[in-house]
Amino acid sequence: MADDLPPTAWAVLGLLSFPGERTGYELKKWADASLRFFYWSPAISQIYAELRRLESLEYVTSLHSGAEEPRAKRTYAITDEGRGALAVWAGGGQGLGAPVLKHPVLLRVWLGHLAAPEHLRGLVTEHVARTKGELKEVRDALGRADGVEAWAHPQIALRWSERRLAAEVELAEAMLDDLAATPGQPPENSPTQG
């Protein structure tokens, strides 16, 4: 059954492979602070579903906090069997496939013949600002991980994310130049066409 695990399960197990026990909420925070910059961040419901699956496979164990806690919570830890399965999966090359790019802004630009030029420029300008914000978040995450030996490989992924986001800003700014050089034309069948 381990061969049938989806990538999200491996990602959740990977988050648990670092020292310490974590709650599902803490795993979500970790995914938001690292995985989302190069893969994606699963929803909290997906994280808990994968934790249940991983626990049924004995890849993780959980411990429910005692009655003395103001709010009961469940923490999860990877087992030796889970660490071994994760190492086999991480060391394998099966199922890699090509990266998938879904770029909603670029899809709108592609359909630019149906939109007002200033609207497209506004969308791309917002995208540049949002991407610069993500770039700052990656750099902040790198700063928090700096010097933490257990985070040596996640730092490599975050540095890649930093370079990708910087390139995305550059590409989007070039797209703004392209849009400025493209003559605006009203959409076909618009009331302005005579």
Side-chain angles (χ1 to χ4, degrees):
M1 175 147 181
D3 292 340
D4 297 335
L5 287 177
T8 303
W10 294 114
V12 169
L13 194 58
L15 289 168
L16 287 169
S17 69
F18 296 94
E21 297 178 349
R22 286 172 192 82
T23 65
Y25 175 75
E26 290 168 333
L27 291 172
K28 173 64 175 156
K29 284 177 59 176
W30 275 41
D32 287 348
S34 62
L35 287 178
R36 77 174 176 100
F37 295 116
F38 57 88
Y39 192 66
W40 75 303
S41 183
I44 191 77
S45 59
Q46 291 175 299
I47 289 174
Y48 281 111
E50 294 306 339
L51 287 169
R52 286 189 296 276
R53 181 195 324 241
L54 294 167
E55 194 167 22
S56 74
L57 292 170
E58 299 182 355
Y59 286 177
V60 302
T61 60
S62 67
L63 181 64
H64 202 260
S65 64
E68 68 280 356
E69 295 280 329
R71 282 183 26 187
K73 58 184 171 181
R74 185 175 295 273
T75 57
Y76 296 85
I78 193 168
T79 63
D80 289 340
E81 186 177 347
R83 187 173 297 282
L86 183 62
V88 168
W89 181 83
Q94 69 281 6
L96 288 179
V100 174
L101 175 63
K102 292 181 182 178
H103 203 305
V105 174
L106 202 51
L107 182 58
R108 297 282 168 75
V109 171
W110 183 68
L111 294 169
H113 62 286
L114 301 172
E118 61 275 3
H119 177 70
L120 289 177
R121 285 191 295 274
L123 289 175
V124 176
T125 300
E126 287 174 22
H127 174 65
V128 169
R130 185 174 43 255
T131 305
K132 285 180 176 179
E134 288 182 2
L135 183 56
K136 181 190 179 312
E137 290 177 39
V138 167
R139 289 175 174 156
D140 291 346
L142 275 166
R144 288 189 301 273
D146 190 34
V148 180
E149 187 176 328
W151 277 80
H153 289 94
Q155 285 180 59
I156 292 169
L158 286 170
R159 281 193 296 274
W160 177 89
S161 298
E162 178 184 31
R163 291 188 290 269
R164 183 192 67 79
L165 288 166
E168 180 68 22
V169 168
E170 184 179 328
L171 290 168
E173 288 174 341
M175 190 167 18
L176 281 171
D177 293 341
D178 291 344
L179 286 169
T182 302
Q185 58 184 19
E188 274 187 44
N189 303 321
S190 78
T192 60
Q193 286 188 327

